[in-house]
Amino acid sequence: MIRRTQAVHGVRQRRQAHGTRCARSEHHGGGNRLGTGILILPQRNPLVLAKQAASLDALSGGRLLLGVGPGWQEAEMRAVGVPPEHRGARTDEYLDAMTSLWTDESPEFHGRYVDFADVLSPPRPTTPGGPRIIIGGHSPAAYRRAVTRGHGWFGTGTVAGLEEGLRGLEKAAAEVDRPARLGRLELTFMHADPTEISVDAVRRVADLGVDRYLVFTTPSRTVAAAEALLERHADLPR
């Protein structure tokens, strides 16, 4: 059984042990993973997404990391028929419904936004219990969602913002219980400020206990610019 205070992946204990190994996951044999960072869950049909995710997990040999979040852009939500004020509740319910489709012998779910029974949803994921869920967000609700429903948390921004996020996760872990099936909470951080990226920054992030460090290439306006940014940081510690 995992205690609530251990749900943030033992951040304090791991700061000395992890060194600079934060660019690669050792789960399921380590190596490259296939991930979404992040997918706006309330805009999706959870039954269709569950099947898509299970198929990707099976085809990739259990390497899928399904990064999800509730989103923030209200106009975009309304455009797809989702009231913005319901996006958090939908996210939680969709995750529970998808877990049923991945794990239950006879999937059935009856909620406010999702209602189904007697459905078949092959293939089953290769990963036991379904693809690993990585929760994105920097709000108290997101931190609680990561502790109660996620295998990991996805933070983005600056190192100072990361530190604030870790404090938020620790607070959430003291307030809500973490299901034992989720194991420890993995930490993923995407550095969104190119001017901050350096060997020292990576080491600082690793010392905070982060498992995966990502370089944000979206601001690059061309493929060549994105490739140049990645080349420039190819020698960062792993």
Side-chain angles (χ1 to χ4, degrees):
M1 180 65 70
I2 296 177
R3 299 173 186 169
R4 289 186 296 184
T5 53
Q6 294 175 318
V8 193
H9 192 64
V11 169
R12 294 189 183 91
Q13 296 176 1
R14 296 188 309 115
R15 287 179 182 174
Q16 294 180 347
H18 253 261
T20 59
R21 298 181 62 194
C22 58
R24 169 175 172 160
S25 169
E26 299 302 324
H27 288 277
H28 302 289
N32 296 326
R33 306 299 296 268
L34 172 66
T36 60
I38 60 175
L39 180 152
I40 307 303
L41 188 53
Q43 297 179 1
R44 312 289 171 140
N45 181 305
L47 280 82
V48 175
L49 180 60
K51 185 182 284 287
Q52 292 171 331
S55 298
L56 279 174
D57 193 65
L59 289 170
S60 66
R63 292 180 177 270
L64 178 64
L65 299 174
L66 187 62
V68 302
W72 59 272
Q73 231 239 38
E74 294 189 4
E76 189 178 76
M77 292 286 175
R78 293 193 181 94
V80 296
V82 176
E85 63 272 18
H86 295 174
R87 64 187 187 275
R90 281 181 182 268
T91 297
D92 292 339
E93 192 169 295
Y94 285 11
L95 286 171
D96 294 342
M98 291 163 64
T99 298
S100 174
L101 290 164
W102 292 329
T103 61
D104 292 343
E105 188 67 29
S106 300
E108 183 173 349
F109 191 90
H110 304 285
R112 181 180 180 184
Y113 308 104
V114 188
D115 187 49
F116 62 80
D118 302 319
V119 299
L120 299 176
S121 188
R124 287 297 175 106
T126 296
T127 304
R132 299 186 71 78
I133 302 296
I134 312 298
I135 303 294
H138 291 264
S139 68
Y143 302 141
R144 290 192 296 271
R145 184 174 297 118
V147 171
T148 57
R149 290 179 169 86
H151 298 94
W153 173 72
F154 189 107
T156 183
T158 64
V159 176
L162 168 64
E163 292 176 322
E164 182 179 347
L166 296 181
R167 289 191 292 270
L169 288 169
E170 289 182 344
K171 185 175 185 294
E175 297 173 345
V176 296
D177 291 320
R178 180 168 176 80
R181 67 177 179 82
L182 295 175
R184 67 178 181 82
L185 186 70
E186 300 173 12
L187 303 174
T188 300
F189 175 62
M190 183 167 67
H191 215 152
D193 184 352
T195 65
E196 273 196 4
I197 299 172
S198 66
V199 171
D200 288 341
V202 174
R203 287 175 175 151
R204 183 180 173 196
V205 167
D207 287 342
L208 290 171
V210 168
D211 296 280
R212 301 182 191 90
Y213 178 89
L214 309 178
V215 175
F216 188 49
T217 61
T218 301
S220 305
R221 296 187 178 277
T222 65
V223 172
E227 290 177 343
L229 177 66
L230 293 175
E231 273 301 319
R232 196 156 64 245
H233 299 300
D235 294 329
L236 289 173
R238 284 167 167 77

